[in-house]
Amino acid sequence: MAIGSAKARGRVHAQRAANSTAVSAAARAGFVARGVIYVLIGVLSFRIALSDGGGKQADRGGAIAEIAEKPFGTVLLWLLGVALAGMALWRLSEAAFGQAGPDGKKASKRAMAAGRFVFYGFVSYSVLSYAAGDKGSGSGSSDKDSQDVTAKALDWPGGQWIVAAAGIAVAAAGVWIAVRAIRHKFHKHLKMFEMPEKTRKVIDFLGMFGGAARGIVFAVAGVFAVVAAVQHKPGKAKGMDDTLRSFTETPAGPWLLVLIAVGLAAFGVFSWANARWRKV
């Protein structure tokens, strides 16, 4: 009985820590960091649409390299990496104890939080490694990484099926992200009624437009992975940079990429709004 009571008290203390002001601040810092990355990706995409980007990559690696070139860039990268670690910590607490809201403790919600914890943990590690001097970490080409992973997977038994399934999953996730954004599902995560009316309208638009653009990019990247699997050609797989550049090859030309670029930047600003208004 004493052991069970001690365990129960331990769980209570852990849950209180997960709901603490420190974890809330870490989550908000993480949203700021995510916003910085998406705004920079949007800016880099815009440059590519108008002038091929001057050799810069429109992906997370390109955003990290862009920050590193600025005055006090290394300091900014340390701050960014720590903030992303805060996001990972918050997602870990959600996986362990559930999210805010009536359905936050559902197994599916907690599993998604666990996946996000792994993702943001990896991103944080790559940014901090780059800041510490490992220039090959974090700033590598997302296109090369995607093609290398696809090539290895295609060599496995049943590799084509595995890559195709992964591509379908990414494409489906992209559609899911876009549809949820268009349907304003993000409302339930934000303190909408605490916002001034004009602020609420702006954030509503940013969340819808930015989330839809982000979802479209994921969906198109997933389609390229499926094509790589069907044709058994790893070079057909594309990371974020090549996926964004592919929008310039449509009948709309560079203007579709301009629209997507503005959308990604809008999602970055929406992330900053999350830092202020998110229920955490």
Side-chain angles (χ1 to χ4, degrees):
M1 293 292 292
I3 293 175
S5 177
K7 287 182 177 179
R9 286 197 300 272
R11 284 196 296 270
V12 170
H13 290 315
Q15 190 158 7
R16 284 177 180 170
N19 295 330
S20 69
T21 303
V23 172
S24 175
R28 298 188 192 284
F31 279 113
V32 172
R34 188 181 75 173
V36 169
I37 290 174
Y38 269 97
V39 166
L40 286 175
I41 291 174
V43 170
L44 292 167
S45 302
F46 190 82
R47 290 179 188 170
I48 288 170
L50 299 184
S51 62
D52 197 36
K56 298 290 184 69
Q57 298 168 202
D59 54 18
R60 187 176 67 248
I64 292 172
E66 187 78 3
I67 294 171
E69 294 174 359
K70 302 301 184 220
F72 306 105
T74 300
V75 174
L76 293 173
L77 286 176
W78 278 107
L79 292 173
L80 190 72
V82 171
L84 289 167
M87 175 72 89
L89 176 64
W90 174 56
R91 292 302 190 184
L92 177 61
S93 72
E94 286 191 326
F97 304 110
Q99 302 177 14
D103 61 345
K105 294 186 183 299
K106 289 172 61 176
S108 59
K109 299 281 188 181
R110 294 169 76 163
M112 289 175 65
R116 287 166 176 157
F117 158 69
V118 173
F119 172 75
Y120 283 110
F122 170 77
V123 175
S124 172
Y125 172 79
S126 66
V127 174
L128 291 172
S129 296
Y130 189 97
D134 182 2
K135 302 307 180 186
S137 177
S139 64
S141 168
S142 60
D143 305 313
K144 185 177 184 303
D145 290 344
S146 297
Q147 291 166 9
D148 289 346
V149 169
T150 302
K152 290 178 181 178
L154 287 174
D155 287 337
W156 296 343
Q160 279 184 283
W161 291 104
I162 294 171
V163 173
I168 291 170
V170 172
V175 172
W176 181 76
I177 290 170
V179 170
R180 285 178 63 82
I182 292 169
R183 296 179 64 189
H184 304 276
K185 290 292 186 179
F186 52 84
H187 281 187
K188 65 181 181 180
H189 297 299
L190 298 176
K191 302 172 185 177
M192 298 296 293
F193 293 104
E194 294 184 14
M195 303 176 190
E197 184 178 356
K198 289 183 179 179
T199 301
R200 185 165 62 247
K201 289 180 179 179
V202 170
I203 292 175
D204 209 34
F205 173 76
L206 291 172
M208 182 273 295
F209 178 41
R214 179 173 175 247
I216 289 169
V217 174
F218 274 87
V220 173
V223 170
F224 281 127
V226 173
V227 171
V230 172
Q231 298 184 5
H232 207 283
K233 293 181 178 179
K236 293 291 184 179
K238 298 182 186 293
M240 178 173 276
D241 180 63
D242 271 354
T243 298
L244 289 167
R245 291 175 188 272
S246 71
F247 289 112
T248 64
E249 300 169 5
T250 65
W255 297 110
L256 179 56
L257 180 53
V258 167
L259 184 65
I260 294 295
V262 174
L264 293 176
F267 183 78
V269 178
F270 176 70
S271 294
W272 292 338
N274 273 258
R276 170 64 178 85
W277 303 104
R278 180 86 177 201
K279 298 173 184 176
V280 296

